[in-house]
Amino acid sequence: MNFFQRLWTCSGIAWRLFKTYTQMLYGSWKVLKLEQPVVTIFGGSRFLQDDPYAVEANKLAQMFVEHNISVLTGGGAGIMEAASCGALKRGAGKGISMGINVSGLEDKNPCVNEYFSTNHFFSRKWLLVRFSTAFVVFPGGFGTLDELAEILTLMMTKKVPKLPIVFIGVEYWEPFMQWLKNEVLAHGAISQTELELFVVTDDLNRAFSLVCVTCKL
């Protein structure tokens, strides 16, 4: 590779880095414009809107916005759409919920009124985590598990403060909990303290109360 080829390659990398940085900076500005505090709701994109978990996500998001807690989601379908639509029922329009998507991944859901798109998954996850005061994790697949694992890792390594993490769906998460206790904890890969970073419940009122402790409501 000659000098000009190396220069062209380096300039391309520099441009992509600059574009990513500006996206994150602009995304941060947009999230900070939301009414504070902010709670991020995670969940799978393949759930239909009449699925019981989607119905619960809709209800919980509505509870949050009724108490002036903004809702942040991935902006896609399934649980994310249910939460966005629940937030929209408040009737206050802009400034109370936002969807942050990845370009080319999927279309934004019809209930998103504040929206931001980034080119990279890591940018999206950073924006969904950095400005939130609590996290609610509904059932989902690999994407939801990826987001959950990153939040737990950041808390374990003290890169972000310990904030409430609430799993909704005892039946759905029970096998995962048993695996964590019987295998991961038993082999010393995590500690009991780290296992207590989150709460699993079916009670939306309990989930709301746990979030409100951090939001100081």
Side-chain angles (χ1 to χ4, degrees):
M1 184 181 293
N2 61 38
F3 171 78
F4 292 104
Q5 287 175 322
R6 290 196 297 270
L7 182 63
W8 178 258
T9 300
C10 290
S11 63
I13 293 172
W15 168 248
R16 287 193 291 272
L17 289 173
F18 175 75
K19 187 176 181 181
T20 300
Y21 173 76
T22 54
Q23 280 186 342
M24 294 176 71
L25 188 63
Y26 180 64
S28 299
W29 175 74
K30 285 188 67 83
V31 175
L32 286 171
K33 286 178 64 181
L34 290 173
E35 189 170 329
Q36 302 295 314
V38 177
V39 173
T40 296
I41 296 180
F42 295 104
S45 63
R46 301 184 182 182
F47 289 81
L48 299 177
Q49 294 306 291
D50 59 355
D51 184 275
Y53 290 124
V55 173
E56 295 289 273
N58 186 290
K59 291 179 181 177
L60 186 57
Q62 187 173 356
M63 291 169 66
F64 286 143
V65 298
E66 286 175 349
H67 289 80
N68 299 315
I69 301 173
S70 293
V71 171
L72 200 57
T73 74
I79 298 297
M80 296 174 282
E81 179 177 346
S84 296
C85 292
L88 195 63
K89 288 180 179 178
R90 181 194 187 213
K94 295 181 181 296
I96 198 67
S97 71
M98 178 181 287
I100 301 176
N101 210 331
V102 177
S103 301
L105 181 64
E106 60 183 352
D107 295 331
K108 68 176 182 178
N109 70 65
C111 291
V112 169
N113 51 22
E114 293 281 354
Y115 181 75
F116 179 74
S117 182
T118 180
N119 290 339
H120 304 285
F121 277 101
F122 76 85
S123 302
R124 177 204 210 183
K125 288 190 288 185
W126 187 84
L127 290 168
L128 289 172
V129 172
R130 176 63 181 82
F131 303 102
S132 294
T133 57
F135 308 94
V136 180
V137 186
F138 279 85
F142 289 137
T144 301
L145 291 174
D146 173 52
E147 292 159 338
L148 169 63
E150 179 152 340
I151 293 171
L152 290 171
T153 301
L154 290 171
M155 289 187 184
M156 287 166 52
T157 55
K158 300 180 181 180
K159 297 300 182 182
V160 299
K162 291 183 179 180
L163 298 170
I165 303 175
V166 184
F167 291 15
I168 302 294
V170 173
E171 180 182 9
Y172 188 91
W173 293 110
E174 182 59 27
F176 177 66
M177 291 298 300
Q178 290 303 316
W179 174 71
L180 287 178
K181 293 175 182 177
N182 298 335
E183 300 296 336
V184 186
L185 180 62
H187 285 82
I190 61 173
S191 68
Q192 180 62 41
T193 302
E194 292 163 349
L195 195 60
E196 295 169 357
L197 286 172
F198 52 87
V199 173
V200 184
T201 184
D202 287 322
D203 188 343
L204 296 186
N205 289 320
R206 185 186 182 199
F208 178 77
S209 297
L210 289 168
V211 169
C212 286
V213 169
T214 304
C215 295
K216 299 179 180 179
L217 296 180

